[in-house]
């Protein structure tokens, strides 16, 4: 399961803070001040929170310099908000970098290829500035094999690489990392898209150092091509520190068993296919018994995922570890409620659960009955279309809300929902921080009352006082947004699709949600005047995305002119000509770097 | 508020006939504002409202956010990551790769039928389906499995080797993988195929 860095606090470097105190260097301070600064550095080095550090850097020049010298982890929430050069000049002793690129709607195909978010200029700047760099975490960036190569050669002490939702690289790039990063501890490839040419795949698994490795985490479940299994086995054998291993679906259950036997110390396991290899002769009970014993021996397992082609007869093998599991990802397992029940019954300590809606409301009822400590639930649709069968509904949602009172985060795809169910959840689960409900049919009302879903979402923002992230769906009028603006005072991320009646809705949000940082809107009837209602707030936000709304070039231009530190991108789909006044896609974000120079032809920066 | 003047009259005609979500009478403040000015992308649909209208297929221009009879897929909706979406599609395809269609003939019936063997879970379901399919000819009952005596008709199939076999002797999975076509045979002819010595 994705253990990404928390999205929660999104204060970004290079925001309002450094705009006030530009050019951190300047003339060296007098002697006594230097002493003070050294003392300050010794204190500030313990400050880890980004928000605290940003605040500290604003106190005075001295603090600004001291903070800059002691910041070890650099978080860039939008790779275009600041230039690599500026970031590396201010922060000179960074050991870890987190860098995020494309807006989230890129995951759903709304952003054409080659839009940007290239890792290249960053890795070049860092190679020069941070030879002692140890960790890099990238999310939604475009990463080329050459970039990985440069990384591998430039950072002799490199330890941790996490690539989340990235694309552009292939197994060739992985091979260089494996070979050159001799101190590698973490190689986490999470939901990436690898560009592998069938004929030119690289046997990267064989390229790890032949000596004992320091590997602690190896996650490659998203790699589409099969890896060299013998090499993987050998690698696991010589990696005594390995705690997290997530293999891809090419690894059969028989192969998995062998790996597990070599690494009984694993805490996180991605099981690959969890089905038999096509060529394996089914040996009836023996296979399952061996597997059960193997799981029984893995006493440290707390997190299980994978199950890509799960064969139901193997599922009971995991019973021995269920009681210890805090995290279980069945979101690729096509199982029924009957198949889930015997497993989930044992999972008393489960905190994170991802599942497919094939388990239906009954399955969710079983979860609610056992998993009293559940914090995060995600229910995905096996048939993600608007008119698929109803499998989970308001019934499941209510059951979860009644059984799992400590719920903090929920993502729920369904075909039908009621206001009553959502209201119930808002009252039962007061700890909710993330509420994402996706009613897959556009504009679908409460299926019992035929009313819009305004009251349900209204109750969520009213009752869940800790709410920071909200995704709305179903038939929604401006009233829903009035609620959100009035009560959603802590909301930082809001996703809106096919909702609202008029500009008022967007106005309510922009005027009411004072902590709003990320706003993504599609196919909603919001126009220029609503856009202009947010001028007072856009510098406080990381970005605004609006597609298929009612924006015009004139309105966007006005925003661009009034807010010079905002980069306003108008994005067209490739195969269309310039549409004149109409803006199909708007992506705007605050930036100290000004308009980017790598924009492709279909992006116009106003 | 609706952009694109050329769409105006089409929309007026459309409103009277289109399907709507929400209570009747709420049409006035309905989703009209969401109409995209850009008319280059339209979902062109055929109305499928029953045999009487089958001849006059209507081509409708539909706003992307109205619910038409047959949905055009909207890009990026529902919001599932492409990575996940592709995996689910692959899962579905593995579950049902292709249909297994075989011809079925029945003695005395002027035309053949075709059925998808994958749809059935076992012999009983198959027998019921065949009976259903041919009952309009009122020719008689089809025998149950392994009983070719006392019935008017028996179900037989041609296997991979070209031999005609009585349906029901082998496990279902084996049957569907070896069945090339089927014939519902008159009782007297079928007697010769029975498996009892």
């Amino acid at each position: 399961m994705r253990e990404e860095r928390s999205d929660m606090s999104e204060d970004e470097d290079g925001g309002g803070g450094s705009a006030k105190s530009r050019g951190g260097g300047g003339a060296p301070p007098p002697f006594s001040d230097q002493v003070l600064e050294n003392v300050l550095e010794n204190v500030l080095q313990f400050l880890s929170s980004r928000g605290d550090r940003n605040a500290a850097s604003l106190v005075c020049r001295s603090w600004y310099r001291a903070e800059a010298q002691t910041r070890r982890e650099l978080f860039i929430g939008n790779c275009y908000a600041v230039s690599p050069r500026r970031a590396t000049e201010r922060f000179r002793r960074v050991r870890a970098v987190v860098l995020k690129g494309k807006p989230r709607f890129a995951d759903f195909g709304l952003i054409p290829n080659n839009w940007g978010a290239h890792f290249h200029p960053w890795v070049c700047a860092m190679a020069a500035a941070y030879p002692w760099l140890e960790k890099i975490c990238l999310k939604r960036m475009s990463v080329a094999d050459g970039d990985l190569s440069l990384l591998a050669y430039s950072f002799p002490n490199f330890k941790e690489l996490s690539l989340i939702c990235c694309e552009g690289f292939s197994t060739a790039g992985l091979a260089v990392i494996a070979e050159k990063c001799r101190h590698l501890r973490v190689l986490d490839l999470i939901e990436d898209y690898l560009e592998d040419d069938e004929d030119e795949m690289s046997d990267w698994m064989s390229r790890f150092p032949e000596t004992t490795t320091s590997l602690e985490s190896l996650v490659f479940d998203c790699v589409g091509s099969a890896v060299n299994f013998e090499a993987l086995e050998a690698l696991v054998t010589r990696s005594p520190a390995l705690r997290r291993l997530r293999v891809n679906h090419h690894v059969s259950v028989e192969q998995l068993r062998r790996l597990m036997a070599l690494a009984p110390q694993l805490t996180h396991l991605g099981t690959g296919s969890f089905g038999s290899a096509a060529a394996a002769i089914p040996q009836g009970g023996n296979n399952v018994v061996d597997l059960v014993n193997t799981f029984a021996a893995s006493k440290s397992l707390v997190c299980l995922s994978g199950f890509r082609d799960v064969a139901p007869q193997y599922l009971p093998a995991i019973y021995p570890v269920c009681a210890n599991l805090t995290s279980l990802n069945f979101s690729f397992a096509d199982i029924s409620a009957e198949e889930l029940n015997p497993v989930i019954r044992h999972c008393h300590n489960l905190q994170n659960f991802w599942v497919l809606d094939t388990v239906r409301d009954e399955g969710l009822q079983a979860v609610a009955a056992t998993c009293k400590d559940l914090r995060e639930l995600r229910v995905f649709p096996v048939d993600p279309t608007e008119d698929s069968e109803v499998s989970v509904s308001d019934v499941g949602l209510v059951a979860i809300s009644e059984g799992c009172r400590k719920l903090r985060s929920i993502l729920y795809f369904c075909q039908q929902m009621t206001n009553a169910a959502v209201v119930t959840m808002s009252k039962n689960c007061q700890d909710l921080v993330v509420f994402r409900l996706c009613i897959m049919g556009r504009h679908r009302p409460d299926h019992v009352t035929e009313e819009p879903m305004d009251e349900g979402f209204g109750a969520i923002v009213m009752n869940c006082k800790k709410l920071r992230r909200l995704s709305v769906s179903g038939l929604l009028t401006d009233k829903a947004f009035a609620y959100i603006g009035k009560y959603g005072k802590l909301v930082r991320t809001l996703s809106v699709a096919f909702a609202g009646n008029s500009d008022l809705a967007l106005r309510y949000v922009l005027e009411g949600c004072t902590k709003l940082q990320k706003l993504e809107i599609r196919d909603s009837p919001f126009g220029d005047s609503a856009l202009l209602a947010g001028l007072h707030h856009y510098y406080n936000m990381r970005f605004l995305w609006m597609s298929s709304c009612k924006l015009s070039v004139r309105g966007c231009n006005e925003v661009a002119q009034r807010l010079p530190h905002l980069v306003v991108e108008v994005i067209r789909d490739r195969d269309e000509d310039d549409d004149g006044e109409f803006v199909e896609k708007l992506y705007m974000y605050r930036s100290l770097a000004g308009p980017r120079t790598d924009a492709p032809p279909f992006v116009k920066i106003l | 508020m609706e952009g694109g003047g050329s769409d105006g009259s089409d929309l007026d005609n459309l409103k009277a006939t289109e399907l709507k979500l929400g209570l009747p009478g709420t049409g006035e403040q309905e989703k009209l504002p969401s109409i995209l000015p850009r008319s280059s992308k339209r979902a062109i649909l055929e109305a499928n409202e029953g045999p009487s209208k089958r001849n006059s297929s209507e081509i409708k221009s539909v706003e992307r956010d109205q619910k038409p009879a047959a949905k055009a897929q909207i890009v990026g909706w529902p919001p599932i990551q492409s990575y996940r979406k592709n995996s689910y599609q692959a899962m579905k395809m593995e579950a049902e790769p292709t249909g297994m269609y075989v011809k079925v003939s029945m003695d005395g019936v002027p035309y053949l039928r075709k059925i998808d063997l994958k749809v059935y879970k076992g012999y009983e379901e198959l027998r019921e389906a065949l009976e259903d399919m041919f009952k309009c000819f009122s020719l008689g009952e089809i025998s149950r499995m392994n009983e070719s005596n006392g019935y008017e008709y028996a179900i037989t199939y041609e296997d991979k080797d070209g031999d005609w076999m009585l349906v029901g002797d082998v496990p279902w999975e084996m049957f569907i993988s070896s069945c090339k076509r089927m014939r519902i045979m008159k009782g007297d002819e079928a007697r010769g195929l029975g498996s009892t010595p």
Side-chain angles (χ1 to χ4, degrees):
Chain A
M1 189 165 311
R2 272 161 67 167
E3 288 154 328
E4 53 186 295
R5 311 247 173 188
S6 168
D7 258 341
M8 299 305 184
S9 89
E10 289 140 18
D11 294 335
E12 164 201 82
D13 296 327
S18 57
K20 289 182 193 165
S21 41
R22 289 172 194 273
F31 178 71
S32 59
D33 286 348
Q34 184 63 64
V35 170
L36 255 171
E37 246 178 63
N38 291 346
V39 169
L40 200 53
E41 280 185 24
N42 282 323
V43 171
L44 287 182
Q45 69 180 332
F46 295 105
L47 213 58
S48 50
S49 139
R50 283 204 303 275
D52 290 346
R53 282 191 160 271
N54 287 348
S57 71
L58 293 178
V59 170
C60 64
R61 266 196 198 284
S62 195
W63 281 57
Y64 179 90
R65 279 192 300 263
E67 193 282 313
Q69 293 287 63
T70 54
R71 191 178 294 221
R72 292 284 172 267
E73 179 172 311
L74 187 58
F75 175 89
I76 311 273
N78 175 2
C79 64
Y80 286 122
V82 63
S83 73
R85 194 171 59 88
R86 187 179 178 130
T88 53
E89 275 176 4
R90 175 175 169 184
F91 302 104
R92 296 191 182 257
R93 301 212 195 134
V94 162
R95 296 276 157 92
V97 173
V98 177
L99 193 54
K100 296 189 181 184
K102 299 176 211 174
R104 197 178 68 99
F105 274 11
D107 291 350
F108 316 131
L110 289 180
I111 296 184
N113 286 341
N114 299 323
W115 171 82
H118 302 289
F119 182 42
H120 188 70
W122 286 92
V123 71
C124 292
M126 292 192 298
Y130 305 142
W132 47 77
L133 192 67
E134 294 179 2
K135 295 194 214 179
I136 291 180
C137 175
L138 304 179
K139 187 168 182 183
R140 293 197 191 94
M141 297 286 297
S142 189
V143 181
D145 285 337
D147 302 331
L148 294 178
S149 195
L150 183 58
L151 188 163
Y153 280 97
S154 307
F155 307 121
N157 212 24
F158 194 71
K159 297 199 169 82
E160 299 187 18
L161 180 63
S162 301
L163 300 178
I164 304 170
C165 300
C166 296
E167 42 80 18
F169 63 99
S170 74
T171 48
L174 297 180
V176 186
I177 296 284
E179 187 171 332
K180 295 296 171 194
C181 301
R182 315 289 292 182
H183 302 287
L184 198 65
R185 291 203 285 229
V186 170
L187 180 57
D188 285 353
L189 306 169
I190 298 169
E191 291 171 23
D192 305 303
Y193 184 77
L194 273 76
E195 314 273 339
D196 266 311
D197 198 340
E198 298 249 328
D199 304 324
E200 287 174 23
M201 286 186 306
S202 191
D203 181 8
W204 57 286
M205 201 53 79
S206 308
R207 304 279 282 272
F208 283 92
E210 308 224 338
T211 55
T212 304
T213 77
S214 5
L215 264 185
E216 294 171 15
S217 176
L218 180 61
V219 172
F220 63 93
D221 48 2
C222 64
V223 173
S225 52
V227 299
N228 179 337
F229 183 72
E230 284 69 41
L232 173 60
E233 233 180 339
L235 179 64
V236 170
T237 311
R238 61 182 193 279
S239 303
L242 196 66
R243 293 284 176 279
R244 301 202 304 254
L245 177 64
R246 295 196 186 123
V247 301
N248 67 12
H249 68 280
H250 289 283
V251 173
S252 70
V253 70
E254 293 85 7
Q255 290 174 323
L256 179 75
R257 201 197 55 74
R258 282 157 60 178
L259 293 175
M260 287 176 70
L262 292 169
Q265 76 280 9
L266 288 177
T267 56
H268 295 61
L269 177 66
T271 63
S273 79
F274 219 63
S276 277
I281 303 161
Q283 279 160 16
N286 284 347
N287 274 353
V288 184
V289 169
D290 286 342
L291 199 57
V292 173
N293 290 337
T294 309
F295 271 95
S298 303
K299 302 201 186 301
S300 315
L301 274 183
V302 293
C303 173
L304 269 188
S305 61
F307 304 103
R308 294 299 180 118
D309 306 308
V310 59
Q313 70 266 28
Y314 292 125
L315 218 44
I318 72 173
Y319 293 168
V321 298
C322 284
N324 291 335
L325 286 183
T326 54
S327 171
L328 179 57
N329 183 349
F330 269 163
S331 67
F332 290 99
D334 190 342
I335 56 176
S336 64
E338 290 72 39
E339 286 159 346
L340 173 68
N341 203 1
V343 173
I344 208 74
R345 255 189 15 227
H346 295 108
C347 299
H348 302 281
N349 289 314
L350 209 56
Q351 294 184 9
N352 277 32
F353 186 49
W354 292 19
V355 71
L356 269 184
D357 64 357
T358 50
V359 301
R360 308 176 84 93
D361 287 328
E362 298 98 281
L364 296 180
Q365 284 165 336
V367 174
T370 314
C371 306
K372 297 303 178 191
D373 213 18
L374 200 67
R375 310 293 163 97
E376 176 177 322
L377 174 69
R378 297 196 192 191
V379 181
F380 293 96
V382 71
D383 187 2
T385 56
E386 291 186 78
D387 30 37
S388 59
E389 264 182 34
V390 173
S391 35
V392 296
S393 69
D394 44 291
V395 172
L397 193 72
V398 167
I400 291 290
S401 79
E402 285 168 355
C404 309
R405 296 300 180 100
K406 297 191 196 169
L407 201 64
R408 288 193 203 149
S409 169
I410 184 165
L411 170 61
Y412 199 88
F413 283 86
C414 59
Q415 285 294 355
Q416 60 190 33
M417 186 49 61
T418 63
N419 279 308
V422 180
V423 171
T424 303
M425 175 155 269
S426 78
K427 293 187 177 153
N428 286 343
C429 302
Q430 297 275 309
D431 285 340
L432 274 176
V433 176
V434 174
F435 185 78
R436 298 159 69 190
L437 176 63
C438 182
I439 303 168
M440 291 193 278
R442 290 165 288 158
H443 309 298
R444 200 162 282 170
D446 178 324
H447 77 96
V448 168
T449 66
E450 300 286 329
E451 297 275 301
M453 291 298 299
D454 298 341
E455 296 308 312
F457 285 103
I460 289 285
V461 284
M462 258 190 270
N463 297 336
C464 302
K465 310 260 191 303
K466 306 181 190 174
L467 195 75
R468 293 209 280 210
R469 182 169 177 185
L470 180 65
S471 295
V472 300
S473 60
L475 180 65
L476 292 170
T477 71
D478 291 345
K479 195 167 178 209
F481 296 93
Y483 285 135
I484 295 173
K486 183 167 179 193
Y487 297 104
K489 294 304 180 191
L490 293 184
V491 170
R492 294 195 192 210
T493 307
L494 180 64
S495 298
V496 177
F498 302 100
N501 300 126
S502 74
D503 283 358
L504 268 182
L506 182 53
R507 279 182 173 272
Y508 287 140
V509 168
L510 290 171
E511 286 164 7
C513 298
T514 43
K515 291 269 172 122
L516 195 63
Q517 301 239 330
K518 305 199 272 191
L519 181 56
E520 11 179 72
I521 302 174
R522 63 168 292 177
D523 293 276
S524 301
F526 309 143
D528 294 342
S529 88
L531 186 68
L532 292 168
L535 287 175
H536 66 287
H537 190 63
Y538 292 139
Y539 278 159
N540 296 334
M541 290 176 61
R542 187 181 297 174
F543 72 79
L544 168 68
W545 167 279
M546 284 176 72
S547 58
S548 305
C549 297
K550 303 193 72 192
L551 299 175
S552 77
V553 173
R554 205 168 42 82
C556 297
N557 252 320
E558 190 171 340
V559 174
Q561 274 160 24
R562 305 257 294 259
L563 298 177
H565 289 298
L566 215 58
V567 173
V568 179
E569 294 194 13
V570 172
I571 304 169
R572 311 195 295 275
D573 284 330
R574 286 276 198 74
D575 52 4
E576 286 170 29
D577 297 325
D578 200 336
D579 267 316
E581 267 304 292
F582 178 65
V583 167
E584 172 61 23
K585 294 176 185 172
L586 167 72
Y587 180 52
M588 61 190 213
Y589 48 90
R590 67 183 169 189
S591 174
L592 293 174
R596 58 187 175 112
T597 49
D598 63 356
F602 52 86
V603 170
K604 190 163 150 201
I605 299 182
L606 301 179
Chain B
M1 283 217 272
E2 297 103 68
S6 59
D7 279 339
S9 57
D10 284 353
L11 291 168
D12 289 339
N13 292 335
L14 177 63
K15 267 170 64 177
T17 56
E18 69 194 7
L19 301 173
K20 276 200 164 94
L21 297 169
L23 299 169
T26 58
E28 292 318 304
Q29 71 265 26
E30 249 291 325
K31 296 291 150 247
L32 297 173
S34 319
I35 296 164
L36 302 173
R38 188 184 45 155
S39 57
S40 53
K41 290 210 170 122
R42 293 180 182 185
I44 301 197
L45 307 162
E46 213 174 277
N48 187 16
E49 290 168 64
S52 57
K53 288 195 181 169
R54 215 175 273 278
N55 291 332
S56 56
S57 53
E58 294 156 31
I59 298 183
K60 296 182 177 181
S61 71
V62 184
E63 300 108 32
R64 271 163 51 170
D65 55 346
Q66 293 294 345
K67 187 176 180 180
K71 283 263 171 57
Q73 290 293 347
I74 298 294
V75 174
W77 188 262
I80 305 274
Q81 275 185 317
S82 324
Y83 163 76
R84 196 172 276 280
K85 213 169 194 170
N86 294 339
S87 299
Y88 293 163
Q89 295 224 336
M91 275 163 58
K92 268 194 294 188
M93 279 175 49
E94 271 179 33
E96 325 140 8
T98 39
M100 224 177 226
Y101 283 93
V102 296
K103 288 187 194 170
V104 184
S105 63
M106 181 165 181
D107 291 355
V109 172
Y111 52 79
L112 278 61
R113 302 295 303 265
K114 237 182 180 174
I115 57 170
D116 178 2
L117 290 176
K118 286 235 159 183
V119 160
Y120 307 106
K121 299 209 174 38
Y123 286 117
E124 202 39 48
E125 254 190 64
L126 174 66
R127 198 192 70 83
E128 276 169 19
L130 287 175
E131 210 159 53
D132 225 37
M133 210 179 248
F134 287 101
K135 72 173 175 236
C136 53
F137 298 100
S138 308
L139 292 174
E141 275 186 63
I142 303 181
S143 86
R144 300 188 188 281
M145 298 303 125
N146 295 332
E147 295 172 43
S148 50
N149 297 323
Y151 283 88
E152 305 238 18
Y153 288 87
I155 313 176
T156 64
Y157 71 102
E158 185 181 0
D159 73 357
K160 281 197 270 227
D161 303 322
D163 298 319
W164 284 94
M165 319 278 291
L166 190 67
V167 163
D169 287 333
V170 300
W172 175 254
E173 295 293 333
M174 199 187 287
F175 163 68
I176 61 175
S177 60
S178 57
C179 171
K180 290 275 150 282
R181 58 182 165 134
M182 290 170 42
R183 177 178 158 203
I184 304 177
M185 213 179 256
K186 262 189 127 51
D188 346 29
E189 272 192 63
R191 306 259 187 273
L193 292 171
S195 56
T196 43

